[in-house]
PDB file of all heavy atoms in Angstrom:
ATOM      1  N   ARG A  93      98.506 -52.261  97.389  1.00  0.00           N
ATOM      2  CA  ARG A  93      97.903 -52.543  96.083  1.00  0.00           C
ATOM      3  C   ARG A  93      97.902 -51.314  95.186  1.00  0.00           C
ATOM      4  O   ARG A  93      98.250 -51.372  94.006  1.00  0.00           O
ATOM      5  CB  ARG A  93      96.463 -53.025  96.263  1.00  0.00           C
ATOM      6  CG  ARG A  93      96.324 -54.502  96.523  1.00  0.00           C
ATOM      7  CD  ARG A  93      94.879 -54.863  96.651  1.00  0.00           C
ATOM      8  NE  ARG A  93      94.697 -56.303  96.727  1.00  0.00           N
ATOM      9  CZ  ARG A  93      93.540 -56.879  97.002  1.00  0.00           C
ATOM     10  NH1 ARG A  93      92.475 -56.133  97.222  1.00  0.00           N
ATOM     11  NH2 ARG A  93      93.435 -58.190  97.056  1.00  0.00           N
ATOM     12  N   VAL A  94      97.491 -50.204  95.746  1.00  0.00           N
ATOM     13  CA  VAL A  94      97.422 -48.966  94.976  1.00  0.00           C
ATOM     14  C   VAL A  94      98.812 -48.557  94.498  1.00  0.00           C
ATOM     15  O   VAL A  94      99.006 -48.197  93.326  1.00  0.00           O
ATOM     16  CB  VAL A  94      96.787 -47.845  95.822  1.00  0.00           C
ATOM     17  CG1 VAL A  94      97.010 -46.488  95.162  1.00  0.00           C
ATOM     18  CG2 VAL A  94      95.300 -48.099  96.005  1.00  0.00           C
ATOM     19  N   THR A  95      99.786 -48.620  95.385  1.00  0.00           N
ATOM     20  CA  THR A  95     101.147 -48.232  95.018  1.00  0.00           C
ATOM     21  C   THR A  95     101.707 -49.121  93.921  1.00  0.00           C
ATOM     22  O   THR A  95     102.287 -48.638  92.943  1.00  0.00           O
ATOM     23  CB  THR A  95     102.062 -48.296  96.257  1.00  0.00           C
ATOM     24  OG1 THR A  95     101.543 -47.423  97.276  1.00  0.00           O
ATOM     25  CG2 THR A  95     103.481 -47.869  95.905  1.00  0.00           C
ATOM     26  N   GLU A  96     101.535 -50.422  94.055  1.00  0.00           N
ATOM     27  CA  GLU A  96     102.024 -51.354  93.033  1.00  0.00           C
ATOM     28  C   GLU A  96     101.343 -51.092  91.689  1.00  0.00           C
ATOM     29  O   GLU A  96     101.997 -51.100  90.630  1.00  0.00           O
ATOM     30  CB  GLU A  96     101.768 -52.794  93.463  1.00  0.00           C
ATOM     31  CG  GLU A  96     102.666 -53.274  94.590  1.00  0.00           C
ATOM     32  CD  GLU A  96     102.368 -54.699  94.996  1.00  0.00           C
ATOM     33  OE1 GLU A  96     101.271 -55.206  94.682  1.00  0.00           O
ATOM     34  OE2 GLU A  96     103.235 -55.315  95.630  1.00  0.00           O
ATOM     35  N   ALA A  97     100.047 -50.872  91.732  1.00  0.00           N
ATOM     36  CA  ALA A  97      99.293 -50.633  90.492  1.00  0.00           C
ATOM     37  C   ALA A  97      99.779 -49.374  89.793  1.00  0.00           C
ATOM     38  O   ALA A  97      99.923 -49.343  88.564  1.00  0.00           O
ATOM     39  CB  ALA A  97      97.804 -50.531  90.797  1.00  0.00           C
ATOM     40  N   ILE A  98     100.043 -48.319  90.559  1.00  0.00           N
ATOM     41  CA  ILE A  98     100.508 -47.060  89.974  1.00  0.00           C
ATOM     42  C   ILE A  98     101.893 -47.229  89.357  1.00  0.00           C
ATOM     43  O   ILE A  98     102.182 -46.704  88.272  1.00  0.00           O
ATOM     44  CB  ILE A  98     100.513 -45.945  91.036  1.00  0.00           C
ATOM     45  CG1 ILE A  98      99.070 -45.611  91.454  1.00  0.00           C
ATOM     46  CG2 ILE A  98     101.211 -44.698  90.504  1.00  0.00           C
ATOM     47  CD1 ILE A  98      98.986 -44.701  92.641  1.00  0.00           C
ATOM     48  N   VAL A  99     102.760 -47.970  90.034  1.00  0.00           N
ATOM     49  CA  VAL A  99     104.114 -48.198  89.501  1.00  0.00           C
ATOM     50  C   VAL A  99     104.050 -48.977  88.192  1.00  0.00           C
ATOM     51  O   VAL A  99     104.725 -48.640  87.210  1.00  0.00           O
ATOM     52  CB  VAL A  99     104.980 -48.946  90.537  1.00  0.00           C
ATOM     53  CG1 VAL A  99     106.296 -49.394  89.906  1.00  0.00           C
ATOM     54  CG2 VAL A  99     105.253 -48.051  91.748  1.00  0.00           C
ATOM     55  N   VAL A 100     103.230 -50.033  88.150  1.00  0.00           N
ATOM     56  CA  VAL A 100     103.095 -50.826  86.930  1.00  0.00           C
ATOM     57  C   VAL A 100     102.506 -49.966  85.807  1.00  0.00           C
ATOM     58  O   VAL A 100     103.019 -49.951  84.676  1.00  0.00           O
ATOM     59  CB  VAL A 100     102.209 -52.065  87.177  1.00  0.00           C
ATOM     60  CG1 VAL A 100     101.879 -52.765  85.859  1.00  0.00           C
ATOM     61  CG2 VAL A 100     102.909 -53.027  88.121  1.00  0.00           C
ATOM     62  N   ALA A 101     101.431 -49.253  86.114  1.00  0.00           N
ATOM     63  CA  ALA A 101     100.796 -48.397  85.103  1.00  0.00           C
ATOM     64  C   ALA A 101     101.760 -47.313  84.629  1.00  0.00           C
ATOM     65  O   ALA A 101     101.817 -46.977  83.439  1.00  0.00           O
ATOM     66  CB  ALA A 101      99.528 -47.763  85.662  1.00  0.00           C
ATOM     67  N   ALA A 151      94.545 -46.566  87.684  1.00  0.00           N
ATOM     68  CA  ALA A 151      95.207 -47.700  88.321  1.00  0.00           C
ATOM     69  C   ALA A 151      94.859 -47.741  89.804  1.00  0.00           C
ATOM     70  O   ALA A 151      94.547 -48.806  90.362  1.00  0.00           O
ATOM     71  CB  ALA A 151      96.723 -47.594  88.132  1.00  0.00           C
ATOM     72  N   GLY A 208      95.684 -51.867  87.209  1.00  0.00           N
ATOM     73  CA  GLY A 208      95.180 -51.940  88.574  1.00  0.00           C
ATOM     74  C   GLY A 208      94.455 -53.237  88.850  1.00  0.00           C
ATOM     75  O   GLY A 208      94.633 -53.867  89.904  1.00  0.00           O
TER      76      GLY A 208
END
Side-chain angles (χ1 to χ4, degrees):
R93 275 181 172 172
V94 167
T95 302
E96 288 179 341
I98 293 170
V99 170
V100 171

